[in-house]
Amino acid sequence: MKLYGSLTSPYVRKIRILLKEKNIPCEFIVEDPWSDKTVGAAKNPLGKVPVLVTDHDKLLYDSALIAEYLDSLGGERLIPANGEERWDVLRWHVLGHGIIDAVVTRLFETRRPLEQQSAKVISRQEDKVARALDVADHTEKGRAYLIGNRFSFADLALGLALEYIDFRYPHDWRSAHPRLAQWLAGISRRASFAETLPPGMERALDAPH
């Protein structure tokens, strides 16, 4: 299998973490998704990464679909196949994915020329992140893992999202959410997270909050 993507994309990192957690061999091809010469994004009609080429030469795109496919290949599932636990895991995934979407939208807006930036757009995305953090902090969850007594796709999705806040929208969210911060500290120590940190994120994670 081949995974096409960039080192800084949170959507790509989601798949890289899952691959390491499942110990699935896959060639990672690093590309700039904004380049006209990017092969991976060109394989996706939407022009986005990640893109996965399976062992049967099928193309899969969108991180949620790729994650479902990889998780079905064997081993202990991170996304339950059925039952209430499946919906609990996917609900956390949607929350984490939404946080990332909001941070990405805010980031792109702040990168526009100052005179073209919309304060309303930026504020709206920041409000989304703040509300999501409140929900994540106050939703009933385990001490080490969000659901049950083992790592699941829920932990992957929310942990990734919180680290992406630190990377692209650094601010002191920990003071208002100490329990969530403590939970993330445990998740961040996993090898799958440590080994997939994007360039520059080390400084963001080590910086005082």
Side-chain angles (χ1 to χ4, degrees), residues 38-96:
T38 297
V39 174
K43 293 178 180 293
N44 178 354
L46 301 176
K48 298 179 179 181
V49 292
V51 173
L52 182 76
V53 181
T54 73
D55 287 336
H56 302 96
D57 289 328
K58 288 187 176 181
L59 291 175
L60 296 178
Y61 30 85
D62 187 89
S63 60
L65 176 62
I66 295 173
E68 286 269 14
Y69 172 76
L70 292 173
D71 198 41
S72 73
L73 296 182
E76 188 172 29
R77 293 194 64 122
L78 300 183
I79 308 171
N82 48 53
E84 284 300 312
E85 190 174 286
R86 172 178 173 81
W87 306 118
D88 289 340
V89 167
L90 292 181
R91 180 167 57 88
W92 280 110
H93 172 243
V94 169
L95 185 67

Side-chain angles (χ1 to χ4, degrees), residues 5-14 16 28 30-34 49 100 103-104 107-108 111 160 163-164 167-168 196-202:
S6 74
L7 289 170
T8 56
S9 165
Y11 309 104
V12 174
R13 189 181 180 214
K14 181 189 302 182
R16 295 178 65 208
F28 180 40
V30 180
E31 293 189 329
D32 176 5
W34 301 106
V49 292
I100 290 172
V103 174
V104 168
L107 176 67
F108 285 170
R111 287 181 171 179
L160 168 67
E163 286 197 347
Y164 194 65
F167 187 40
R168 294 304 196 192
T196 59
L197 282 178
M201 186 182 279
E202 294 87 348

Side-chain angles (χ1 to χ4, degrees), residues 1-4 15 19 23-29 51-53 55 70:
M1 287 191 293
K2 295 181 180 180
L3 175 68
Y4 292 86
I15 303 306
L19 286 166
N23 197 27
I24 298 174
C26 181
E27 180 183 359
F28 180 40
I29 301 174
V51 173
L52 182 76
V53 181
D55 287 336
L70 292 173

